[in-house]
Amino acid sequence: MDDLKSKYLGLISGASDEATLEDLRVQALGKKGEISAQMRELGRMSPEERQTAGPALNALKDEINSALIAKKTALGDAALDERLRSEWLDVTLPGRTRRQGTIHPISQVTEEVSAIFADMGFSVAEGPQVESDWYNFDALNIPGHHPARAEMDTFYMARAAGDDRPPAVLRTHTSPVQIRSMEAQGAPIRVICPGRVYRADYDQTHTPMFHQIEGLAIDKAISMANLKWVLEEFVKSYFEVDTVDIRFRASHFPFTEPSAEVDIRCSWEGGTLKVGEGDDWLEILGSGMVHPKVLQAARIDPTQWQGFAFGMGIDRIAMLKYGIPDLRAFFDSDLRWLRHYGFAALDVPTLHAGLSR
Ligand code: PHE
């Protein structure tokens, strides 16, 4: 019995992991273990022998059991100590800078454009994206039968059964914000209205949701000449060039009269856009003098007030300035794209610091 005792206590104290301990437990105390075999021997002993051997065997069994438990605890403590040592960290160290998120080019360009127009005295106005038929169409001189409604690929909202008002729409342009701003502020007024617009269209240069920025200036004596100056100033600031050449092309919008589409002179030499030089023309926006009916719809007297409006695609001018080839990538949320084209969070565009640095 002494041999068994010293054998197992020795093995237990030398064990280096829990699996070894478990093997030892089975070897000694398991059903076929050595101590258990001794226990079975008790049956064949005389009552006198059994009286001393029985308690001694039981004591040995207990001793081995306690040794196993003690060793198991010790191994666990050692493992924990080791883990604490290897995973230790100094919480007093300063934080390490990590790669920041980026500002989406659409947000950046919206800020750039807003900064430029703010400098010319325009304030920013917003309107709802789910718009009534009246604000999106009628008030802008686009009555029910007008072909412009069909051209716009409008998304219509559902109406409850029995509700026979014209369905609300996802606004197809930012022009309804002209009406809302004039209703709210009256004249004179100078606002720009950036925001999301929706049309059912999808290819390399069209997505069902995109962004526009509307401009509106109403006063006593505003003319196309003011429009031209404002747009020239805008294009110079936005593309960060000293000179620009702008061309007004006669066009038609129901809400302006006369109407013009505006092109800027540019070159595409070597595949990169240069604004202000070259023999190409690039269309950047639609504009015109606000139609008297539109002023009337917004309760402004067209015999007293007049002014210009324009609407520009934010996504489009972002693509042009930053050389982004596919519009759809704007809305894919691809992290690699966002890191490449995104802007640093603190890179707030201001006219004095430079718009796109
Ligand atoms: N709303 C027009 C469009 O979406 C753009 C525009 C705005 C044209 C204001 C003239 C005046 O195409």
Side-chain angles (χ1 to χ4, degrees), residues 182-255:
M182 287 190 282
E183 278 179 346
Q185 297 176 36
I189 185 171
R190 258 186 273 178
V191 286
I192 47 159
C193 326
R196 293 180 169 174
V197 299
Y198 302 83
R199 293 181 200 175
D201 207 351
Y202 188 71
D203 62 32
Q204 192 174 344
T205 51
H206 297 89
T207 48
M209 185 280 295
F210 59 105
H211 302 78
Q212 287 189 337
I213 191 157
E214 193 84 7
L216 174 73
I218 304 290
D219 211 321
K220 295 271 174 177
I222 290 202
S223 71
M224 291 286 272
N226 300 124
L227 171 64
K228 188 163 191 231
W229 182 85
V230 163
L231 292 179
E232 273 171 0
E233 286 304 303
F234 165 71
V235 173
K236 276 195 277 187
S237 301
Y238 178 72
F239 287 104
E240 298 170 76
V241 291
D242 294 331
T243 53
V244 286
D245 195 5
I246 276 191
R247 178 170 84 174
F248 277 53
R249 225 171 348 96
S251 183
H252 175 263
F253 300 102
F255 32 91

Side-chain angles (χ1 to χ4, degrees), residues 152 172-175 178 199 210 212-215 253 255-256 259-260 285-288 309-312:
M152 288 225 188
T172 57
H173 50 180
T174 42
S175 300
Q178 284 186 33
R199 293 181 200 175
F210 59 105
Q212 287 189 337
I213 191 157
E214 193 84 7
F253 300 102
F255 32 91
T256 46
S259 304
L285 56 85
S287 66
F310 59 85
M312 188 159 52

Side-chain angles (χ1 to χ4, degrees), residues 29 42 47 49 100 163 200 238 263 279 282 302-303 312 331 340:
L29 309 172
L42 289 175
E49 282 176 318
Q100 305 276 319
D163 185 343
Y238 178 72
D263 302 338
D279 299 320
L282 189 66
T303 65
M312 188 159 52
F331 312 114
H340 182 79

Side-chain angles (χ1 to χ4, degrees), residues 130-131 155-170:
V130 176
E131 189 52 284
F155 286 112
Y156 291 93
M157 306 296 287
R159 279 265 184 244
D163 185 343
D164 42 43
R165 288 174 299 167
V169 301
L170 291 180

